[in-house]
Amino acid sequence: MPRYIVLVGLMGSGKSAVARRLAADGIAVLDTDRLVEKSAGCTVREIFAERGEEAFRLLEENALMTCLGHHDRAVIAAAGGVVTRDANRTALNESRRRGDSWVVWLHTDP
């Protein structure tokens, strides 16, 4: 069993809800959007409006790297656009190749 299950997918695909359902007792649920909001002190919507998408994507990348460096087992709900950055895809692929992560794309019909 890998240390992390990383859920990726479009906004509204259920990453956060599925993460909460997958996590058993003692397994952390890490949500990159929530980590970004905590570090920025404002909502994702406010970050986009006030700082722009690139600023958000950098915060999102930092949040993902923090999650992949978590020392305990975790289910990670990655922000919808996390796979749009090369650095994030590389980190996810390296983690998967090491056997540390399962990366699961959630797909749903509208």
Side-chain angles (χ1 to χ4, degrees):
M1 184 79 167
R3 189 164 40 168
Y4 312 116
I5 297 173
V6 184
L7 304 176
V8 297
L10 296 176
M11 181 176 63
S13 62
K15 298 176 298 289
S16 297
V18 171
R20 288 189 299 272
R21 299 214 48 201
L22 282 176
D25 289 337
I27 296 179
V29 174
L30 305 174
D31 187 312
T32 61
D33 278 341
R34 301 300 76 79
L35 292 171
V36 164
E37 289 177 337
K38 185 175 180 180
S39 71
C42 57
T43 67
V44 168
R45 184 172 299 216
E46 291 168 330
I47 296 167
F48 268 88
E50 297 169 12
R51 304 180 199 179
E53 182 176 359
E54 182 59 23
F56 172 76
R57 296 295 172 207
L58 288 171
L59 291 167
E60 176 183 69
E61 182 178 320
N62 289 336
L64 177 65
M65 299 311 161
T66 297
C67 290
L68 292 176
H70 195 263
H71 297 292
D72 297 321
R73 292 179 63 185
V75 179
I76 301 168
V82 77
V83 296
T84 63
R85 291 181 72 89
D86 289 337
N88 294 339
R89 287 191 310 273
T90 298
L92 289 169
N93 281 325
E94 288 176 1
S95 182
R96 185 183 52 80
R97 278 189 221 116
R98 283 192 310 269
D100 286 344
S101 299
W102 285 345
V103 180
V104 180
W105 177 269
L106 296 183
H107 178 310
T108 185
D109 292 324

